[in-house]
Amino acid sequence: MKILAIDTSSFPASVAIADNGILMGEYVIRNQRKHSQNIMMMTERLFDDLGMDISDIDVFSVTSGPGSFTGLRIGISSVRAFAQAMKKPVAPVNTLEALAYNFSLSDAVIVPMLDARRDEVFTAAYKFNNGTATEITPPCVMTISEICEKYKDSDVIMTGDGAIIHRDELDGFKLAPLNLAETRASSLALAAYKKAEKNELCDYNHVAPLYLRKSQAEREYEGRKNK
């Protein structure tokens, strides 16, 4: 089973191809302003370097959110187009779960956190059993003080840019090293492989972004409207 995984949910963009859970190749570029240009270039280059074609792909996967509103739309629209054209299924994975798969062999509870600004983070919690994630806490928005209180007596690993930004406030907790604190298409591909094994796939037109909060533009519009 060959999986093409695309992540444009945050600052780095990455694309990976895995075959039956084995990573065949991956590209990562850290330039959020050019996700729409880079992701197609990266995908084409990866196919070329591996001597593969899009018709070889069995399942397409994408991070579905939370994350950058613009970034999510870029990744989802790309994967939907690929899946529609090739008539293949999609394995959407929420960004927090994909990030947790950086630690799929850990016995600790994995707490991914993405910066939501205003001293808040998008977060969830996962526990791994034989390399497969079980959701302990569903995706939600929490303050850093709520995070500290919730996990003060727990064996957890905190990861994601939310953990990096608030590392001083999270003193005393286990924090992921920088090389494991960002979503990677390779980890997304692993999560997608696990979902494919359980037949948790969908058609391209059922892939939708997971927004845990309205965009700043929407909030500002509603604020003006209610004045």
Side-chain angles (χ1 to χ4, degrees), residues 155-168:
D155 178 21
V156 300
I157 296 176
M158 297 181 175
T159 186
D161 61 10
I164 295 172
I165 291 170
H166 298 285
R167 56 186 174 273
D168 291 341

Side-chain angles (χ1 to χ4, degrees), residues 121-132:
V121 292
F122 302 119
T123 188
Y126 300 90
K127 181 73 174 177
F128 284 89
N129 182 25
N130 293 326
T132 300

Side-chain angles (χ1 to χ4, degrees), residues 7-222:
D7 172 51
T8 54
S9 62
S10 56
F11 193 81
S14 57
V15 57
I17 293 176
D19 188 359
N20 289 322
I22 299 173
L23 180 64
M24 304 301 292
E26 180 181 30
Y27 283 120
V28 181
I29 293 181
R30 296 181 55 81
N31 189 338
Q32 189 175 25
R33 291 174 297 178
K34 292 188 176 181
H35 278 0
S36 59
Q37 302 171 35
N38 288 338
I39 200 64
M40 297 307 297
M41 175 191 69
M42 294 160 64
T43 303
E44 291 174 3
R45 178 65 183 272
L46 187 56
F47 277 128
D48 185 58
D49 285 351
L50 292 175
M52 295 173 60
D53 184 83
I54 193 169
S55 61
D56 295 320
I57 300 300
D58 301 300
V59 176
F60 295 91
S61 185
V62 65
T63 41
S64 57
S68 159
F69 282 77
T70 301
L72 292 175
R73 287 195 293 268
I74 292 169
I76 290 173
S77 62
S78 298
V79 162
R80 288 185 63 179
F82 289 151
Q84 181 181 17
M86 305 311 300
K87 296 180 173 57
K88 296 292 178 64
V90 180
V93 180
N94 87 65
T95 311
L96 297 163
E97 182 177 351
L99 181 55
Y101 265 89
N102 288 352
F103 298 89
S104 61
L105 297 180
S106 175
D107 292 327
V109 172
I110 309 303
V111 182
M113 292 184 284
L114 299 174
D115 181 35
R117 301 184 181 181
R118 298 184 296 181
D119 200 37
E120 293 180 331
V121 292
F122 302 119
T123 188
Y126 300 90
K127 181 73 174 177
F128 284 89
N129 182 25
N130 293 326
T132 300
T134 297
E135 185 179 87
I136 305 299
T137 302
C140 60
V141 180
M142 295 180 70
T143 65
I144 296 302
S145 59
E146 289 172 335
I147 290 277
C148 292
E149 179 63 25
K150 182 177 178 66
Y151 298 108
K152 62 181 180 181
D153 298 317
S154 304
D155 178 21
V156 300
I157 296 176
M158 297 181 175
T159 186
D161 61 10
I164 295 172
I165 291 170
H166 298 285
R167 56 186 174 273
D168 291 341
E169 299 154 87
L170 297 172
D171 184 43
F173 290 100
K174 296 177 185 176
L175 302 184
L178 294 179
N179 65 311
L180 295 176
E182 293 182 327
T183 313
R184 296 286 295 267
S186 50
S187 294
L188 169 61
L190 176 58
Y193 180 71
K194 297 294 184 178
K195 290 186 179 296
E197 285 187 317
K198 296 183 290 184
N199 200 31
E200 295 178 354
L201 305 175
C202 67
D203 191 67
Y204 74 91
N205 56 7
H206 290 139
V207 182
L210 172 64
Y211 295 140
L212 297 181
R213 175 191 288 167
K214 294 180 180 179
S215 69
Q216 182 176 348
E218 289 175 312
R219 295 195 300 270
E220 290 176 352
Y221 172 76
E222 291 181 354

